[in-house]
C-alpha cells in the first residue's frame, strides 16, 4: 500500500495511497483533476484537493471515519469531519445501488 507510483494523469477520484498507523487505516488521496464536485450537494474543489481519511475500529460492528480536507485554492484552511459508521445487523439488510 505504501509504495505505489502516482497516476500518469490527474483523475476525477484522485490517487489513493494507504498505510497503517497502529489499528487505523490512513489513506491519502491526491492527484484530483478538479473537474467534479466534492460532494452530492455540488460543493466544488480544485486540482489542489488533498484528503486524509482515517478508519479506526470502534468494535466489531462500527468504525470511526474521519477525513481532513485541504484545498488552498478553495478553502482558507484545512477542515475535518468525523462520524461513526455502523454495520447493518438486520437479517435481510441490503446495500443499495447509487
Amino acid at each position: 500500500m505504501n509504495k505505489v507510483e502516482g497516476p500518469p494523469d490527474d483523475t476525477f477520484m484522485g490517487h489513493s495511497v494507504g498505510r497503517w498507523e497502529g489499528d487505523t487505516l490512513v489513506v491519502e488521496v491526491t492527484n484530483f483533476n478538479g473537474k467534479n464536485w466534492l460532494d452530492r450537494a455540488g460543493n466544488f474543489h480544485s486540482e489542489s484537493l488533498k484528503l486524509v481519511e482515517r478508519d479506526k475500529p470502534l468494535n466489531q460492528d462500527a468504525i470511526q471515519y474521519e477525513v481532513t480536507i485541504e484545498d488552498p485554492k478553495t478553502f482558507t484552511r484545512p477542515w475535518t469531519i468525523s462520524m461513526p459508521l455502523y454495520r447493518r445487523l438486520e437479517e435481510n439488510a441490503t446495500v443499495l445501488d447509487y
Side-chain angles (χ1 to χ4, degrees), residues 23 55-65 83-86:
D23 64 349
D55 294 293
K56 180 178 179 65
L58 296 174
N59 59 48
Q60 68 181 15
D61 296 315
I63 60 173
Q64 187 68 30
Y65 172 76
M83 69 186 89
L85 300 175
Y86 299 96

Side-chain angles (χ1 to χ4, degrees), residues 41-72:
N43 293 302
F44 59 91
H45 64 85
S46 77
E47 69 283 353
S48 297
L49 177 65
K50 176 183 175 184
L51 306 176
V52 179
E53 300 176 302
R54 296 178 177 278
D55 294 293
K56 180 178 179 65
L58 296 174
N59 59 48
Q60 68 181 15
D61 296 315
I63 60 173
Q64 187 68 30
Y65 172 76
E66 177 182 290
V67 61
T68 299
I69 300 161
E70 182 179 342
D71 186 345

